[in-house]
PDB file of all heavy atoms in Angstrom:
ATOM      1  N   GLU W  14     144.946   0.443 -63.125  1.00 93.00           N
ATOM      2  CA  GLU W  14     144.076   1.356 -63.969  1.00 93.00           C
ATOM      3  C   GLU W  14     143.406   0.423 -64.892  1.00 93.00           C
ATOM      4  O   GLU W  14     142.210   0.692 -65.329  1.00 93.00           O
ATOM      5  CB  GLU W  14     145.005   2.400 -64.704  1.00 93.00           C
ATOM      6  CG  GLU W  14     144.165   3.307 -65.546  1.00 93.00           C
ATOM      7  CD  GLU W  14     143.198   4.089 -64.642  1.00 93.00           C
ATOM      8  OE1 GLU W  14     143.355   4.434 -63.559  1.00 93.00           O
ATOM      9  OE2 GLU W  14     142.112   4.462 -65.356  1.00 93.00           O
ATOM     10  N   ILE W  15     144.054  -0.600 -65.562  1.00 91.00           N
ATOM     11  CA  ILE W  15     143.384  -1.510 -66.498  1.00 91.00           C
ATOM     12  C   ILE W  15     142.183  -2.167 -65.751  1.00 91.00           C
ATOM     13  O   ILE W  15     141.019  -2.323 -66.312  1.00 91.00           O
ATOM     14  CB  ILE W  15     144.423  -2.489 -67.099  1.00 91.00           C
ATOM     15  CG1 ILE W  15     145.331  -1.630 -67.922  1.00 91.00           C
ATOM     16  CG2 ILE W  15     143.638  -3.546 -67.759  1.00 91.00           C
ATOM     17  CD1 ILE W  15     146.563  -2.590 -68.509  1.00 91.00           C
ATOM     18  N   GLN W  16     142.424  -2.624 -64.505  1.00 91.00           N
ATOM     19  CA  GLN W  16     141.473  -3.272 -63.801  1.00 91.00           C
ATOM     20  C   GLN W  16     140.219  -2.370 -63.511  1.00 91.00           C
ATOM     21  O   GLN W  16     139.009  -2.756 -63.620  1.00 91.00           O
ATOM     22  CB  GLN W  16     141.848  -3.747 -62.508  1.00 91.00           C
ATOM     23  CG  GLN W  16     140.926  -4.514 -61.634  1.00 91.00           C
ATOM     24  CD  GLN W  16     141.568  -5.000 -60.247  1.00 91.00           C
ATOM     25  OE1 GLN W  16     142.608  -4.484 -59.863  1.00 91.00           O
ATOM     26  NE2 GLN W  16     140.890  -5.771 -59.492  1.00 91.00           N
ATOM     27  N   LYS W  17     140.498  -1.169 -63.112  1.00 93.00           N
ATOM     28  CA  LYS W  17     139.348  -0.228 -62.911  1.00 93.00           C
ATOM     29  C   LYS W  17     138.534   0.016 -64.168  1.00 93.00           C
ATOM     30  O   LYS W  17     137.372   0.073 -64.124  1.00 93.00           O
ATOM     31  CB  LYS W  17     139.887   1.110 -62.477  1.00 93.00           C
ATOM     32  CG  LYS W  17     140.439   1.114 -60.982  1.00 93.00           C
ATOM     33  CD  LYS W  17     141.084   2.484 -60.656  1.00 93.00           C
ATOM     34  CE  LYS W  17     141.637   2.432 -59.294  1.00 93.00           C
ATOM     35  NZ  LYS W  17     142.295   3.739 -58.822  1.00 93.00           N
ATOM     36  N   GLN W  18     139.130   0.114 -65.333  1.00 94.00           N
ATOM     37  CA  GLN W  18     138.507   0.352 -66.524  1.00 94.00           C
ATOM     38  C   GLN W  18     137.687  -0.817 -66.884  1.00 94.00           C
ATOM     39  O   GLN W  18     136.630  -0.760 -67.526  1.00 94.00           O
ATOM     40  CB  GLN W  18     139.505   0.679 -67.786  1.00 94.00           C
ATOM     41  CG  GLN W  18     140.249   2.058 -67.598  1.00 94.00           C
ATOM     42  CD  GLN W  18     139.213   3.134 -67.643  1.00 94.00           C
ATOM     43  OE1 GLN W  18     138.251   3.219 -68.263  1.00 94.00           O
ATOM     44  NE2 GLN W  18     139.335   4.166 -66.664  1.00 94.00           N
ATOM     45  N   CYS W  19     138.199  -2.018 -66.672  1.00 92.00           N
ATOM     46  CA  CYS W  19     137.446  -3.185 -66.959  1.00 92.00           C
ATOM     47  C   CYS W  19     136.216  -3.362 -66.083  1.00 92.00           C
ATOM     48  O   CYS W  19     135.226  -3.833 -66.559  1.00 92.00           O
ATOM     49  CB  CYS W  19     138.301  -4.495 -66.630  1.00 92.00           C
ATOM     50  SG  CYS W  19     139.511  -4.933 -68.015  1.00 92.00           S
ATOM     51  N   VAL W  20     136.217  -2.844 -64.791  1.00 94.00           N
ATOM     52  CA  VAL W  20     135.048  -2.851 -64.139  1.00 94.00           C
ATOM     53  C   VAL W  20     134.069  -1.974 -64.533  1.00 94.00           C
ATOM     54  O   VAL W  20     132.754  -2.228 -64.569  1.00 94.00           O
ATOM     55  CB  VAL W  20     135.442  -2.499 -62.511  1.00 94.00           C
ATOM     56  CG1 VAL W  20     134.221  -2.256 -61.756  1.00 94.00           C
ATOM     57  CG2 VAL W  20     136.361  -3.525 -61.862  1.00 94.00           C
ATOM     58  N   LEU W  21     134.450  -0.791 -65.044  1.00 96.00           N
ATOM     59  CA  LEU W  21     133.458   0.204 -65.652  1.00 96.00           C
ATOM     60  C   LEU W  21     132.892  -0.453 -66.962  1.00 96.00           C
ATOM     61  O   LEU W  21     131.663  -0.281 -67.114  1.00 96.00           O
ATOM     62  CB  LEU W  21     134.293   1.456 -66.022  1.00 96.00           C
ATOM     63  CG  LEU W  21     134.718   2.315 -64.765  1.00 96.00           C
ATOM     64  CD1 LEU W  21     135.483   3.530 -65.276  1.00 96.00           C
ATOM     65  CD2 LEU W  21     133.500   2.888 -64.023  1.00 96.00           C
ATOM     66  N   LEU W  22     133.764  -1.123 -67.663  1.00 94.00           N
ATOM     67  CA  LEU W  22     133.344  -1.633 -68.956  1.00 94.00           C
ATOM     68  C   LEU W  22     132.252  -2.859 -68.696  1.00 94.00           C
ATOM     69  O   LEU W  22     131.242  -2.859 -69.322  1.00 94.00           O
ATOM     70  CB  LEU W  22     134.403  -2.100 -69.722  1.00 94.00           C
ATOM     71  CG  LEU W  22     134.191  -2.694 -71.088  1.00 94.00           C
ATOM     72  CD1 LEU W  22     133.530  -1.659 -72.048  1.00 94.00           C
ATOM     73  CD2 LEU W  22     135.484  -3.268 -71.828  1.00 94.00           C
ATOM     74  N   VAL W  23     132.560  -3.687 -67.720  1.00 95.00           N
ATOM     75  CA  VAL W  23     131.703  -4.849 -67.420  1.00 95.00           C
ATOM     76  C   VAL W  23     130.299  -4.130 -66.814  1.00 95.00           C
ATOM     77  O   VAL W  23     129.318  -4.653 -67.144  1.00 95.00           O
ATOM     78  CB  VAL W  23     132.300  -5.719 -66.295  1.00 95.00           C
ATOM     79  CG1 VAL W  23     131.278  -6.679 -65.698  1.00 95.00           C
ATOM     80  CG2 VAL W  23     133.469  -6.503 -66.970  1.00 95.00           C
ATOM     81  N   ASN W  24     130.395  -3.219 -65.979  1.00 96.00           N
ATOM     82  CA  ASN W  24     129.152  -2.638 -65.460  1.00 96.00           C
ATOM     83  C   ASN W  24     128.309  -1.996 -66.511  1.00 96.00           C
ATOM     84  O   ASN W  24     127.088  -2.217 -66.544  1.00 96.00           O
ATOM     85  CB  ASN W  24     129.542  -1.581 -64.423  1.00 96.00           C
ATOM     86  CG  ASN W  24     130.032  -2.117 -63.028  1.00 96.00           C
ATOM     87  OD1 ASN W  24     129.755  -3.340 -62.815  1.00 96.00           O
ATOM     88  ND2 ASN W  24     130.688  -1.404 -62.310  1.00 96.00           N
ATOM     89  N   SER W  25     128.883  -1.321 -67.610  1.00 94.00           N
ATOM     90  CA  SER W  25     128.272  -0.830 -68.678  1.00 94.00           C
ATOM     91  C   SER W  25     127.603  -1.794 -69.576  1.00 94.00           C
ATOM     92  O   SER W  25     126.514  -1.746 -70.039  1.00 94.00           O
ATOM     93  CB  SER W  25     129.192   0.087 -69.517  1.00 94.00           C
ATOM     94  OG  SER W  25     129.634   1.232 -68.786  1.00 94.00           O
ATOM     95  N   ALA W  26     128.406  -2.990 -69.704  1.00 93.00           N
ATOM     96  CA  ALA W  26     127.785  -4.035 -70.564  1.00 93.00           C
ATOM     97  C   ALA W  26     126.615  -4.748 -69.820  1.00 93.00           C
ATOM     98  O   ALA W  26     125.595  -5.105 -70.511  1.00 93.00           O
ATOM     99  CB  ALA W  26     128.986  -5.094 -70.731  1.00 93.00           C
ATOM    100  N   ARG W  27     126.673  -4.713 -68.598  1.00 94.00           N
ATOM    101  CA  ARG W  27     125.523  -5.381 -67.820  1.00 94.00           C
ATOM    102  C   ARG W  27     124.299  -4.391 -68.030  1.00 94.00           C
ATOM    103  O   ARG W  27     123.165  -4.968 -68.246  1.00 94.00           O
ATOM    104  CB  ARG W  27     125.886  -5.486 -66.294  1.00 94.00           C
ATOM    105  CG  ARG W  27     126.799  -6.744 -66.121  1.00 94.00           C
ATOM    106  CD  ARG W  27     127.062  -6.856 -64.621  1.00 94.00           C
ATOM    107  NE  ARG W  27     127.870  -7.946 -64.351  1.00 94.00           N
ATOM    108  CZ  ARG W  27     128.844  -8.137 -63.355  1.00 94.00           C
ATOM    109  NH1 ARG W  27     129.130  -7.093 -62.604  1.00 94.00           N
ATOM    110  NH2 ARG W  27     129.606  -9.164 -63.348  1.00 94.00           N
ATOM    111  N   LYS W  28     124.588  -3.217 -67.784  1.00 93.00           N
ATOM    112  CA  LYS W  28     123.380  -2.246 -67.908  1.00 93.00           C
ATOM    113  C   LYS W  28     122.779  -2.280 -69.417  1.00 93.00           C
ATOM    114  O   LYS W  28     121.617  -2.194 -69.542  1.00 93.00           O
ATOM    115  CB  LYS W  28     123.875  -0.832 -67.646  1.00 93.00           C
ATOM    116  CG  LYS W  28     124.040  -0.417 -66.164  1.00 93.00           C
ATOM    117  CD  LYS W  28     124.490   0.857 -65.919  1.00 93.00           C
ATOM    118  CE  LYS W  28     124.724   1.143 -64.464  1.00 93.00           C
ATOM    119  NZ  LYS W  28     125.321   2.503 -64.375  1.00 93.00           N
ATOM    120  N   ALA W  29     123.739  -2.570 -70.257  1.00 89.00           N
ATOM    121  CA  ALA W  29     123.106  -2.522 -71.700  1.00 89.00           C
ATOM    122  C   ALA W  29     122.546  -3.901 -71.951  1.00 89.00           C
ATOM    123  O   ALA W  29     121.910  -4.156 -73.148  1.00 89.00           O
ATOM    124  CB  ALA W  29     124.210  -2.206 -72.565  1.00 89.00           C
ATOM    125  N   GLY W  30     122.546  -4.976 -71.137  1.00 90.00           N
ATOM    126  CA  GLY W  30     121.896  -6.240 -71.400  1.00 90.00           C
ATOM    127  C   GLY W  30     122.908  -7.132 -72.217  1.00 90.00           C
ATOM    128  O   GLY W  30     122.456  -8.103 -72.754  1.00 90.00           O
ATOM    129  N   MET W  31     124.232  -6.764 -72.336  1.00 91.00           N
ATOM    130  CA  MET W  31     125.032  -7.683 -73.145  1.00 91.00           C
ATOM    131  C   MET W  31     125.502  -8.908 -72.456  1.00 91.00           C
ATOM    132  O   MET W  31     125.622  -8.952 -71.046  1.00 91.00           O
ATOM    133  CB  MET W  31     126.410  -6.735 -73.396  1.00 91.00           C
ATOM    134  CG  MET W  31     126.102  -5.707 -74.380  1.00 91.00           C
ATOM    135  SD  MET W  31     127.674  -4.607 -74.689  1.00 91.00           S
ATOM    136  CE  MET W  31     128.586  -5.777 -75.378  1.00 91.00           C
ATOM    137  N   ARG W  32     125.840  -9.953 -73.093  1.00 93.00           N
ATOM    138  CA  ARG W  32     126.329 -11.048 -72.515  1.00 93.00           C
ATOM    139  C   ARG W  32     127.972 -10.826 -72.322  1.00 93.00           C
ATOM    140  O   ARG W  32     128.553  -9.966 -72.922  1.00 93.00           O
ATOM    141  CB  ARG W  32     126.352 -12.215 -73.476  1.00 93.00           C
ATOM    142  CG  ARG W  32     124.884 -12.747 -73.739  1.00 93.00           C
ATOM    143  CD  ARG W  32     124.886 -13.739 -74.888  1.00 93.00           C
ATOM    144  NE  ARG W  32     124.889 -12.926 -76.134  1.00 93.00           N
ATOM    145  CZ  ARG W  32     124.800 -13.361 -77.319  1.00 93.00           C
ATOM    146  NH1 ARG W  32     124.558 -14.585 -77.674  1.00 93.00           N
ATOM    147  NH2 ARG W  32     124.901 -12.390 -78.346  1.00 93.00           N
ATOM    148  N   ILE W  33     128.382 -11.388 -71.249  1.00 95.00           N
ATOM    149  CA  ILE W  33     129.765 -11.177 -70.802  1.00 95.00           C
ATOM    150  C   ILE W  33     130.437 -12.527 -70.536  1.00 95.00           C
ATOM    151  O   ILE W  33     129.873 -13.428 -69.870  1.00 95.00           O
ATOM    152  CB  ILE W  33     129.802 -10.475 -69.455  1.00 95.00           C
ATOM    153  CG1 ILE W  33     129.198  -9.127 -69.627  1.00 95.00           C
ATOM    154  CG2 ILE W  33     131.285 -10.128 -69.017  1.00 95.00           C
ATOM    155  CD1 ILE W  33     128.859  -8.357 -68.326  1.00 95.00           C
ATOM    156  N   PHE W  34     131.536 -12.676 -71.235  1.00 95.00           N
ATOM    157  CA  PHE W  34     132.437 -14.007 -71.085  1.00 95.00           C
ATOM    158  C   PHE W  34     133.704 -13.619 -70.543  1.00 95.00           C
ATOM    159  O   PHE W  34     134.372 -12.747 -70.870  1.00 95.00           O
ATOM    160  CB  PHE W  34     132.563 -14.631 -72.543  1.00 95.00           C
ATOM    161  CG  PHE W  34     131.364 -15.017 -73.214  1.00 95.00           C
ATOM    162  CD1 PHE W  34     130.710 -14.145 -74.031  1.00 95.00           C
ATOM    163  CD2 PHE W  34     130.811 -16.252 -72.910  1.00 95.00           C
ATOM    164  CE1 PHE W  34     129.554 -14.493 -74.699  1.00 95.00           C
ATOM    165  CE2 PHE W  34     129.645 -16.659 -73.578  1.00 95.00           C
ATOM    166  CZ  PHE W  34     128.940 -15.842 -74.452  1.00 95.00           C
ATOM    167  N   TYR W  35     134.150 -14.398 -69.538  1.00 93.00           N
ATOM    168  CA  TYR W  35     135.415 -14.287 -68.867  1.00 93.00           C
ATOM    169  C   TYR W  35     136.277 -15.442 -69.327  1.00 93.00           C
ATOM    170  O   TYR W  35     135.828 -16.611 -69.245  1.00 93.00           O
ATOM    171  CB  TYR W  35     135.196 -14.348 -67.356  1.00 93.00           C
ATOM    172  CG  TYR W  35     134.406 -13.191 -66.811  1.00 93.00           C
ATOM    173  CD1 TYR W  35     133.081 -13.306 -66.564  1.00 93.00           C
ATOM    174  CD2 TYR W  35     135.048 -11.905 -66.560  1.00 93.00           C
ATOM    175  CE1 TYR W  35     132.308 -12.176 -66.128  1.00 93.00           C
ATOM    176  CE2 TYR W  35     134.303 -10.783 -66.010  1.00 93.00           C
ATOM    177  CZ  TYR W  35     132.925 -10.994 -65.931  1.00 93.00           C
ATOM    178  OH  TYR W  35     132.146 -10.033 -65.382  1.00 93.00           O
ATOM    179  N   THR W  36     137.435 -15.181 -69.787  1.00 90.00           N
ATOM    180  CA  THR W  36     138.298 -16.168 -70.219  1.00 90.00           C
ATOM    181  C   THR W  36     139.643 -16.051 -69.495  1.00 90.00           C
ATOM    182  O   THR W  36     139.958 -15.094 -68.967  1.00 90.00           O
ATOM    183  CB  THR W  36     138.572 -16.205 -71.807  1.00 90.00           C
ATOM    184  OG1 THR W  36     139.208 -14.994 -72.019  1.00 90.00           O
ATOM    185  CG2 THR W  36     137.310 -16.324 -72.533  1.00 90.00           C
ATOM    186  N   ARG W  37     140.365 -17.165 -69.704  1.00 83.00           N
ATOM    187  CA  ARG W  37     141.615 -17.133 -68.971  1.00 83.00           C
ATOM    188  C   ARG W  37     142.672 -18.065 -69.800  1.00 83.00           C
ATOM    189  O   ARG W  37     142.355 -19.063 -70.245  1.00 83.00           O
ATOM    190  CB  ARG W  37     141.530 -17.672 -67.545  1.00 83.00           C
ATOM    191  CG  ARG W  37     142.420 -18.715 -67.091  1.00 83.00           C
ATOM    192  CD  ARG W  37     142.158 -19.019 -65.697  1.00 83.00           C
ATOM    193  NE  ARG W  37     143.477 -19.652 -65.306  1.00 83.00           N
ATOM    194  CZ  ARG W  37     143.819 -20.510 -64.369  1.00 83.00           C
ATOM    195  NH1 ARG W  37     142.772 -20.867 -63.615  1.00 83.00           N
ATOM    196  NH2 ARG W  37     144.895 -21.018 -64.063  1.00 83.00           N
ATOM    197  N   HIS W  38     143.844 -17.531 -69.920  1.00 78.00           N
ATOM    198  CA  HIS W  38     144.892 -18.166 -70.858  1.00 78.00           C
ATOM    199  C   HIS W  38     145.624 -19.234 -69.826  1.00 78.00           C
ATOM    200  O   HIS W  38     145.945 -18.896 -68.740  1.00 78.00           O
ATOM    201  CB  HIS W  38     145.965 -17.194 -71.258  1.00 78.00           C
ATOM    202  CG  HIS W  38     147.033 -17.785 -71.959  1.00 78.00           C
ATOM    203  ND1 HIS W  38     146.791 -18.247 -73.313  1.00 78.00           N
ATOM    204  CD2 HIS W  38     148.144 -18.201 -71.692  1.00 78.00           C
ATOM    205  CE1 HIS W  38     147.890 -18.838 -73.673  1.00 78.00           C
ATOM    206  NE2 HIS W  38     148.740 -18.735 -72.823  1.00 78.00           N
TER     207      HIS W  38
END
């Protein structure tokens, strides 16, 4: 469910023209 919500969030950020950073611990 968290993964699905992240996909929706990333798609929304892309549509809004936001920068997206992926990090990993």
Side-chain angles (χ1 to χ4, degrees):
E14 182 59 31
I15 292 170
Q16 182 181 14
K17 288 178 184 178
Q18 293 300 317
C19 282
V20 169
L21 290 173
L22 188 57
V23 166
N24 288 339
S25 295
R27 284 184 180 143
K28 285 181 185 176
M31 293 174 64
R32 291 168 287 187
I33 303 171
F34 296 92
Y35 297 91
T36 65
R37 126 177 208 205
H38 179 81

